[in-house]
Amino acid sequence: ARVGSDAAKIGADAAAGQIPFRWLVENIHQNLLLDRAADYGVSDWGGYLAMIVRNWGIWFVPAFLFVQPTLRRYRPLLWMAIVNFAFHSLIGHKEYRFILLSTTALVILGAIGSAELAKRLADRMPPRTRRVVPAALLLLWAGASASLAARPSWLPRWTAFSAGLEATGAI
């Protein structure tokens, strides 16, 4: 289905007299060469790292450390995240949503890595106490999620669309 959808997009571009994927080339031209996005504000190359630290707090440390066990097996996913992150870091205008692909991939890799480490640890434990490891891992990530969700900087995000939701519920 994916191949057919790409073919349909190429066909639609061609039918409209456009070069296939010209939008991608134009985006690169406008944002990297002409720096058009700078009109909306700019940050230096470390802007995204600052956003990650601000949004994830101290939890970015274990999230990145847990990626280590996945480096060999999931290298293509890691490289995709790095290339996406690096590409967007070259553009002066930065919005967190532009690196969601990278941060999501890193969260997935961190989750896989933490599960792999937990399995290695559990394999070294006596059979009766092995159940503690997955429970501890679950508590670690649930605690991380809850502590991040409860941060004062995130509270406005939880209620940002509450008026619209209330209005929809009143219908």
Side-chain angles (χ1 to χ4, degrees), residues 101-133:
L101 179 62
S102 294
T103 56
T104 300
L106 290 173
V107 166
I108 291 168
L109 289 170
I112 293 168
S114 64
E116 287 182 12
L117 287 173
K119 183 178 180 336
R120 288 182 203 164
L121 179 62
D123 288 345
R124 294 181 182 161
M125 298 175 78
R128 294 177 61 174
T129 57
R130 287 183 183 169
R131 284 183 256 172
V132 172
V133 176

Side-chain angles (χ1 to χ4, degrees), residues 62-74 77 105-121 133 137 140-141:
F64 284 107
L65 289 177
F66 282 136
V67 168
Q68 300 306 314
T70 67
L71 292 179
R72 200 173 332 173
R73 189 169 178 197
Y74 298 98
L77 183 58
L106 290 173
V107 166
I108 291 168
L109 289 170
I112 293 168
S114 64
E116 287 182 12
L117 287 173
K119 183 178 180 336
R120 288 182 203 164
L121 179 62
V133 176
L137 185 61
L140 171 77
W141 287 124

